[in-house]
């Protein structure tokens, strides 16, 4: 299908616009293809199911298609501006439903969008996972360019970037910790999710604040036609979601809850320890009229660890978002959002008699516009404003007799603003381009305690010992919050180009400049909830990214197969690093243990997919390097690792994932994953010496060694009873085996002195062997 530029000279242009939704629930659908084959043009619905296109007067055949739904073909007479809403019917037995991307109608070939992956919820729910719990983040790890720091680790790494360099949005609200139980599960309830998209590069100008990726997740609005319930019961956790109309066909509600309960079995054995999580997803949607819609969504989640009532750890996210969708005209759609986000971390230490609290809060006001100029030119523009409050830590005695004094690290405050504009422009039948500019500024505001150092240098270097150390604080001042301690301004241009060779082949390229003003203070490859966020300021500079990518995209055999190959290079300035022996916990002046460095990553990604038939799946392979360097501040300082490049904590040379799904019949479906990865970079001893009868290891250069390579095979089977066919009550059983060959993959290797032989020895820690699982899912 070719998309030729319309010669509309002398012809009146009219606008066709509307929304597209699910016929059974009125749920708006994101990314639906609205195509006019004769005119060789088309458009897709936005994040709220809205579309708009301008065409010359005339009769047109309209085709509307979306994965998992019956297509619509309709002839329309466009002789005036028209508003047409459409509703699609879901196809329950669609074999082509299990796809990585929800758009296979050819628009992606010509659209200037690259380094983007989308997973359907149907795909995610069928993948084999640990403990049988459906997991959004674990599913992303099967895509090229996405990895993590090993089993049981929190977060994810994209194209050699750190966990804190990912912007994670749930209904536009920032999620600061995406994991439950220190990485065993993600915070996202799959039953509540409508759409998710991961940007690894080519990131549009509407996004900012992080330098590695954007994971944009939207919750479902809820069914405005009838009351529905669905859920699942597993060995570790269960979930339940209810939705229904507030006012039929106008308003709806959705509420979903999950909770783990494995800790309850410990109580049966008189074990006083416990570890569990729970979360709540909510959403209210109400259509005021044809041009206005209100949405109120929220998420609340907590993790709780308790050891013999002496140690209790509680942490989690809470977000609320109030949105107003307004249609100004046939071709201008707007969304105004007021968002509150709170990440909390708390410790209750009864055995020493105090509580510890820390966290980060932000209030975000954003106004975004979609402006459909014509069928070849669309604009997006808006402004964002975010206010931050950082609580680095607060100690409060449990009682007066504990002997602990109240102590609080000074709160930090910041304001981040941005304005952006981007255009998607189809130049002709072969060239399409998306270009934009984002301007961001960041104000570090005053606080109660601001430290002053000699020569304005918080880190000392001793050339005699060749050691960095914390500088002495000369004085501490109190600065009003209305004053600005430090400000930064950055222009962030973006451009992506697509050149279509034909209907089935294209070449694309992109460039991103992005700024990140927040930093996660952590010296582990997998962040823990105790790690704290810190804003840029006088001594911590914002991270600045330049990323380049080029790719080749092709469909084969009538789109049954597709191939995506991309190469990327990214350079990040001002990536913080830590001096040897840095103490990060409850540090009143974190600037005294960090140095500003740089990082880089480069590689090639391949994604080969089979999209149709009884057997579907994909092969994802990444060949890459991720490195970091912190040179000395002067020619006489060595910096970190003598100023040389070293492997980052999340560098993996080879990363291979093979995912397959086979539908035997209407009752049985089988799924499998195979994963192979290069072991994580680490530092091993290279020698040892004895001192006063103690054997002391001598460590080599930073991250010069690696853990053993990681690989595993997972299998699952889904049984759908045939009685579901004519019944409103539908159910299925999912049987899974994680790590079929029971491979003891190394999570870490530590070194210690053997108490019997007094010799140093290496100890491998492995988290998971073979794990069978069973989950019962239901819907009515």
């Amino acid at each position: 299908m070719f998309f030729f530029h319309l010669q509309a000279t002398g012809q009146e242009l009219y606008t066709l616009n509307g929304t597209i939704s699910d016929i059974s629930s009125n749920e708006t659908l994101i990314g639906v293809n609205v195509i006019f084959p004769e005119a060789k043009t088309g458009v897709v619905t936005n994040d709220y199911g809205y579309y708009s296109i301008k065409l010359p007067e005339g009769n047109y055949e309209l085709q509307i298609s979306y994965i998992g739904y019956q297509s619509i073909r309709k002839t329309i007479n466009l002789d005036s501006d028209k508003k047409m809403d459409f509703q699609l019917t879901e196809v329950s037995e669609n074999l082509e439903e299990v796809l990585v991307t929800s758009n296979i109608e050819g628009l992606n070939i010509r659209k200037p969008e690259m380094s983007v992956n989308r997973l359907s919820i149907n795909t995610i729910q069928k993948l084999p996972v640990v403990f049988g719990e459906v997991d959004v983040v674990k599913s992303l790890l099967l895509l090229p360019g996405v990895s993590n720091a090993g089993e049981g680790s929190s977060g994810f790494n994209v194209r050699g970037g750190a966990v804190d360099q990912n912007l994670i949005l749930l209904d536009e609200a920032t999620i600061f910790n995406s994991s439950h139980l220190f990485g065993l599960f993600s915070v996202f309830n799959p039953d509540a999710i409508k759409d998710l998209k991961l940007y690894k590069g080519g990131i549009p100008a509407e996004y900012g604040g992080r330098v590695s990726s954007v994971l944009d997740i939207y919750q479902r609005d809820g069914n405005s036609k009838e009351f529905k319930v669905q859920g699942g019961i597993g060995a570790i956790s269960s979930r339940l979601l209810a939705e229904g109309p507030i006012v039929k066909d106008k308003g709806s509600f959705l509420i979903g809850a999950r909770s783990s309960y494995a800790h309850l079995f410990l109580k049966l054995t008189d074990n006083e320890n416990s570890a569990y999580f729970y979360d709540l997803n909510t959403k209210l949607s109400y259509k005021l009229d044809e041009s206005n819609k209100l949405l109120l969504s929220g998420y609340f989640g907590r993790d709780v660890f308790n050891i013999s009532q002496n140690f209790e750890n509680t942490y989690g996210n809470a977000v609320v978002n109030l949105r107003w969708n307004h249609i100004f005209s046939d071709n201008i759609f707007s969304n105004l959002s007021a968002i509150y986000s709170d990440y909390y971390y708390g410790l209750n230490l009864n055995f020493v008699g105090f509580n510890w609290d820390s966290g980060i809060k932000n209030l975000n006001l954003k106004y975004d516009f979609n402006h459909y100029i014509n069928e070849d030119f669309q604009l997006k523009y808006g402004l964002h404003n975010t206010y931050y409050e950082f609580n680095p830590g607060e100690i409060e005695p449990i009682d007066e007799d504990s002997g602990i004094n109240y102590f609080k690290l000074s709160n930090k405050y910041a304001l981040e603003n941005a304005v952006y504009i981007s255009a998607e422009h189809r130049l002709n039948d072969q060239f399409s381009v998306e270009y934009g500019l984002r301007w961001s500024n960041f104000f570090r505001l005053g606080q109660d305690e601001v430290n002053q150092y000699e020569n304005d240098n918080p880190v000392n270097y001793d050339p005699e010992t060749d050691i960095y150390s914390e500088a002495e604080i000369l004085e501490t001042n109190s600065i009003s919050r209305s004053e600005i301690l430090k400000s930064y301004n950055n222009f962030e241009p973006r451009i992506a180009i697509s050149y279509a060779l034909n209907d089935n082949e294209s070449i694309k390229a992109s460039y991103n400049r992005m700024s990140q003003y927040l930093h996660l203070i952590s010296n582990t490859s997998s962040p823990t909830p105790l790690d704290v966020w810190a804003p840029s300021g006088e001594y911590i500079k914002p991270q600045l990214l330049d990323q380049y990518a080029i790719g080749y995209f092709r469909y084969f055999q009538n789109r049954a197969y597709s191939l995506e190959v991309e190469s990327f290079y990214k350079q990040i300035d001002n990536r913080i690093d830590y001096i040897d022996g840095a103490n990060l916990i409850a540090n009143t002046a974190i600037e005294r243990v960090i140095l500003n460095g740089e990082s880089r990553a480069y590689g090639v990604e391949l994604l080969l997919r089979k999209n149709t038939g009884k057997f579907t799946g994909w092969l994802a392979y990444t060949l890459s390097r991720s490195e970091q360097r912190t040179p000395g501040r002067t020619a006489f300082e060595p910096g970190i690792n003598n100023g040389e490049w070293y492997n980052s904590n999340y560098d993996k040379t080879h990363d291979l994932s093979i995912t397959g799904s086979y539908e035997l019949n209407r009752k049985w479906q089988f799924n499998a994953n195979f994963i192979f990865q290069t072991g994580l970079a680490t530092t091993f001893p290279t020698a040892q010496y004895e001192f006063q009868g103690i054997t002391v290891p001598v460590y080599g250069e930073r991250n010069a060694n690696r853990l053993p390579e990681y690989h595993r095979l997972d299998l699952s089977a889904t049984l759908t009873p045939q009685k579901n066919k004519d019944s409103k009550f539908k159910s299925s059983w999912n049987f899974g085996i994680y790590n079929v060959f029971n491979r003891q993959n190394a999570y870490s290797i530590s070194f210690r002195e053997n108490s019997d032989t007094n010799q140093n020895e290496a100890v491998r820690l492995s988290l998971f062997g073979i794990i069978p699982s069973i989950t019962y899912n239901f819907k009515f």
Side-chain angles (χ1 to χ4, degrees), residues 544-716:
L544 301 176
L545 162 81
D546 291 289
Q547 179 174 213
Y548 308 84
I550 187 169
Y552 171 74
F553 305 83
R554 182 174 180 178
Y555 285 114
F556 299 91
Q557 296 186 8
N558 197 27
R559 302 182 184 268
Y561 296 87
S562 60
L563 173 68
E564 302 175 31
V565 181
E566 292 191 37
S567 179
F568 69 90
Y569 177 86
K570 56 197 291 188
Q571 174 80 33
I572 299 174
D573 294 330
N574 302 325
R575 180 62 183 165
I576 61 175
D577 207 342
Y578 308 97
I579 65 175
D580 292 336
N583 177 26
L584 305 183
I585 299 176
N587 193 324
T588 58
I590 200 69
E591 66 271 10
R592 296 197 297 166
V593 296
I594 63 175
L595 296 173
N596 289 307
E598 60 181 332
S599 64
R600 67 185 181 188
Y602 48 92
V604 178
E605 300 170 355
L606 180 146
L607 180 62
L608 176 64
R609 302 174 298 180
K610 185 177 186 300
N611 300 317
T612 62
K614 284 184 172 291
F615 177 77
T616 57
W618 66 86
L619 180 152
Y621 173 70
T622 306
L623 174 66
S624 65
R625 288 291 300 271
S626 174
E627 300 173 310
Q628 190 162 336
R629 182 170 77 110
T630 305
R633 295 167 297 179
T634 69
F636 304 101
E637 292 187 13
I640 306 297
N641 200 53
N642 294 317
E644 301 294 331
W645 289 101
Y646 63 89
N647 296 323
S648 71
N649 291 335
Y650 19 86
D651 172 69
K652 294 183 179 180
T653 307
H654 303 282
D655 189 347
L656 171 69
S657 300
I658 302 175
T659 300
S661 177
Y662 179 72
E663 186 159 340
L664 179 64
N665 50 45
R666 293 186 176 183
K667 291 181 61 176
W668 285 100
Q669 179 162 336
F670 300 94
N671 304 275
N673 300 330
F674 175 76
I675 298 171
F676 175 89
Q677 298 173 344
T678 300
L680 287 172
T682 188
T683 307
F684 291 157
T686 57
Q688 65 183 32
Y689 64 91
E690 287 192 6
F691 178 74
Q692 296 183 351
I694 300 175
T695 303
V696 180
V698 178
Y699 286 85
E701 294 184 352
R702 186 175 292 196
N703 286 349
N705 307 104
R706 289 191 179 275
L707 296 177
E709 58 274 356
Y710 176 101
H711 60 81
R712 75 168 199 269
L713 173 68
D714 309 326
L715 300 174
S716 72

Side-chain angles (χ1 to χ4, degrees), residues 338-443:
I339 307 167
Y340 173 78
S341 177
D342 180 8
Y343 175 68
Y344 167 80
Y345 179 85
L347 281 174
N348 184 308
L349 302 173
N350 288 324
F351 66 96
V352 291
F354 71 86
N355 295 325
W356 165 275
D357 293 334
S358 65
I360 176 174
K361 300 177 182 178
N362 73 58
L363 183 62
N364 183 7
L365 185 66
K366 58 195 297 285
Y367 207 4
D368 301 290
F369 296 83
N370 289 43
H371 194 164
Y372 303 87
I373 306 297
N374 56 48
E375 74 278 4
D376 294 328
F377 193 76
Q378 300 177 25
L379 286 177
K380 288 185 178 182
Y381 46 86
L383 52 90
H384 299 170
N385 178 278
T386 306
Y387 174 76
Y388 296 98
E389 178 181 343
F390 302 84
N391 174 16
E394 180 179 7
I395 292 176
E396 185 175 6
I398 294 176
D399 54 59
E400 296 180 356
D401 300 328
S402 65
I404 303 295
N405 296 323
Y406 175 82
F407 173 74
K408 180 165 180 21
L409 301 178
S410 294
N411 280 7
K412 299 178 175 64
Y413 307 92
L415 185 65
E416 183 176 350
N417 307 294
V419 59
Y420 73 91
I421 183 169
S422 68
E424 186 173 329
H425 192 181
R426 184 162 62 94
L427 302 175
N428 54 42
D429 62 317
Q430 290 181 304
F431 273 106
S432 294
V433 60
E434 182 175 349
Y435 48 90
L437 179 65
R438 182 183 183 92
W439 174 75
S440 62
N441 74 343
F442 187 83
F443 299 112

Side-chain angles (χ1 to χ4, degrees), residues 18-34:
T19 58
I20 300 179
S21 59
D22 184 299
I23 194 171
S24 64
S25 65
N26 281 334
E27 184 84 39
T28 56
L29 301 175
I30 301 173
V32 178
N33 299 308
V34 182

